[in-house]
Amino acid sequence: MHSARFLMAIAGFTSLCGAIQAADFCAGSGTEIRQALLAAEDNDEADTINILTGTYSASTGTVAFPYSTSQSHALTIEGGYGPGCGRRRDRAHLTVLSGSDVRQVMNLFSSGSGAIRVKNLTIEGGNSDGPGGGMSIGGPTNFPFPPFAGNITVERVIFKFNRSATTPGGLAVNTGDGSIVLRGNLFVFNRCSDSNCSLLVRSLAAGSSPIPVIFAGNTVALNTCNLGTAPVCDSGGARFTGHQQALIYDNLFAFHSGEDLSLQTPEVDADLYYNNIEALVGSPSVEVGTLTESNPEFVDALAEDFRLLATSPVRNQGNAPYPLPGIDLDGKPRIVESAPDLGAYEYQEFLFDDGFEEEP
């Protein structure tokens, strides 16, 4: 009896401590987002920053929304919330973080090991002299300083119209340990002055153990080189580099000059399942079900509508057993028919509700 009561007391104390060591922020302005990120840097807590629907920017600094920490506590940033952050609308385009074409949108820098998660928002109009004009996630990349050692998740985020003076224009992620998961994202109209302008996935792992990487259900299209930089920049697609074991599936690459996907093999041990890739650099360990459709039939790419037409050749061409987010970028169900569509959007034959759901 005493043991049972003791264990119950310990469980209650642990729960209480967990509650004390977690901080939640509800941000509804650019200033509030910056303040929440600043507080999260050194409050010795796991932090969640929920952002109301709207468009947010900053008027000062080289980074609109910076974060820098040496602590090892988790950080979660999620958009789509209504007043009071009690309800969330799962449509990534409704919460926009902007660099106003003059500054990087977000830099999440950590030399610790706390997980970093970013979900359900849009990163646009970033401009940076370094990697990730839209967003960079990770830590030191220069020896002998230890690299970031945490897990990274970016899910259902739109990266568009970002640019970098190096590479990539959209998203740069790196970690020396942990894992990288990029699922259900849209990378479009990003530019850079080097190559692979949409995104860079880099492992800084040392020793014999590669980091695990999942890249799934993303649309990567119409990313280009900055004008006047050829022939240095010759591709707009994605690059995976460093010691990693990558599982790449259900992705839709389209309309790039040069390669859609560059794998730095053999250091990158990659398995490719059911992707649309016209131009691939590198030798994957496994390649199954690759399509090479030159026109996946978007509704209207020039008008920024990357949903699929009913006649699209990449409908139902995904690999259902591998996990995807339960909803697409519009908050609509995935796997409506026999298998998931390639890319970040699922073709919807019927209209569904408005996408509101209770806070989990």
Side-chain angles (χ1 to χ4, degrees), residues 25 64 66 84 86 121 124 141 164 168 170 198 228 236 253 256 262 266 268 272 274 306 310 322 344:
F25 301 88
L121 47 79
E124 73 173 29
T141 59
S164 168
S198 58
F253 296 87
H256 293 120
S262 177
V268 174
L272 274 56
Y274 304 97
F306 288 88
Y322 286 117

Side-chain angles (χ1 to χ4, degrees), residues 206-341:
S208 59
S209 298
I211 67 165
V213 174
I214 293 177
F215 189 74
N218 303 283
T219 295
V220 186
L222 286 166
N223 302 284
T224 61
C225 300
N226 290 326
L227 296 177
T229 59
V232 175
C233 182
D234 59 6
S235 64
R239 184 183 183 199
F240 291 69
T241 184
H243 195 34
Q244 59 182 272
Q245 189 163 18
L247 179 60
I248 300 172
Y249 61 92
D250 295 353
N251 300 289
L252 172 51
F253 296 87
F255 301 128
H256 293 120
S257 60
E259 65 262 21
D260 292 306
L261 177 62
S262 177
L263 305 172
Q264 184 182 301
T265 55
E267 197 172 15
V268 174
D269 183 7
D271 294 347
L272 274 56
Y273 295 94
Y274 304 97
N275 302 280
N276 189 77
I277 306 170
E278 279 195 274
L280 171 66
V281 172
S283 302
S285 299
V286 176
E287 185 175 9
V288 176
T290 299
L291 302 178
T292 57
E293 299 289 345
S294 60
N295 183 4
E297 298 188 19
F298 297 123
V299 171
D300 191 345
L302 295 182
E304 302 177 39
D305 190 341
F306 288 88
R307 299 169 184 86
L308 300 176
L309 292 171
T311 55
S312 170
V314 303
R315 281 184 59 196
N316 303 317
Q317 298 300 310
N319 187 28
Y322 286 117
L324 291 170
I327 52 178
D328 70 3
L329 276 175
D330 278 337
K332 305 297 176 61
R334 293 301 310 245
I335 315 182
V336 173
E337 299 174 284
S338 59
D341 301 338

Side-chain angles (χ1 to χ4, degrees), residues 29-323:
S29 70
T31 298
E32 290 178 355
I33 298 170
R34 288 171 67 103
Q35 290 173 340
L37 288 166
L38 181 62
E41 289 181 352
D42 59 5
N43 63 1
D44 202 29
E45 297 178 295
D47 297 285
T48 298
I49 302 174
N50 296 324
I51 305 175
L52 306 187
T53 58
T55 298
Y56 307 102
S57 60
S59 58
T60 61
T62 57
V63 182
F65 303 105
Y67 169 85
S68 180
T69 189
S70 59
Q71 296 183 0
S72 293
H73 297 286
L75 172 68
T76 298
I77 301 170
E78 185 165 14
Y81 284 87
C85 290
R87 291 168 67 89
R88 187 184 69 243
R89 199 171 188 184
D90 285 322
R91 295 184 179 179
H93 70 278
L94 295 178
T95 305
V96 179
L97 305 185
S98 173
S100 305
D101 295 322
V102 295
R103 54 182 58 88
Q104 185 181 31
V105 179
M106 183 170 280
N107 184 349
L108 303 177
F109 179 94
S110 173
S111 57
S113 59
I116 297 177
R117 308 177 187 92
V118 182
K119 297 183 177 182
N120 195 41
L121 47 79
T122 294
I123 302 291
E124 73 173 29
N127 189 352
S128 175
D129 290 335
M135 177 186 288
S136 60
I137 305 177
T141 59
N142 51 326
F143 182 83
F145 300 102
F148 175 57
N151 299 332
I152 295 172
T153 301
V154 179
E155 185 168 282
R156 301 182 56 258
V157 175
I158 298 170
F159 296 87
K160 65 177 183 178
F161 296 108
N162 302 290
R163 65 175 183 256
S164 168
T166 56
T167 186
L171 172 66
V173 295
N174 67 80
T175 183
D177 202 350
S179 63
I180 297 174
V181 177
L182 309 177
R183 302 194 311 170
N185 305 295
L186 176 67
F187 301 87
V188 291
F189 301 118
N190 299 290
R191 300 169 66 183
C192 72
S193 297
D194 202 327
S195 299
N196 309 116
C197 295
S198 58
L199 71 147
L200 171 67
V201 179
R202 176 166 52 183
S203 166
L204 301 172
S208 59
S209 298
I211 67 165
V213 174
I214 293 177
F215 189 74
N218 303 283
T219 295
V220 186
L222 286 166
N223 302 284
T224 61
C225 300
N226 290 326
L227 296 177
T229 59
V232 175
C233 182
D234 59 6
S235 64
R239 184 183 183 199
F240 291 69
T241 184
H243 195 34
Q244 59 182 272
Q245 189 163 18
L247 179 60
I248 300 172
Y249 61 92
D250 295 353
N251 300 289
L252 172 51
F253 296 87
F255 301 128
H256 293 120
S257 60
E259 65 262 21
D260 292 306
L261 177 62
S262 177
L263 305 172
Q264 184 182 301
T265 55
E267 197 172 15
V268 174
D269 183 7
D271 294 347
L272 274 56
Y273 295 94
Y274 304 97
N275 302 280
N276 189 77
I277 306 170
E278 279 195 274
L280 171 66
V281 172
S283 302
S285 299
V286 176
E287 185 175 9
V288 176
T290 299
L291 302 178
T292 57
E293 299 289 345
S294 60
N295 183 4
E297 298 188 19
F298 297 123
V299 171
D300 191 345
L302 295 182
E304 302 177 39
D305 190 341
F306 288 88
R307 299 169 184 86
L308 300 176
L309 292 171
T311 55
S312 170
V314 303
R315 281 184 59 196
N316 303 317
Q317 298 300 310
N319 187 28
Y322 286 117

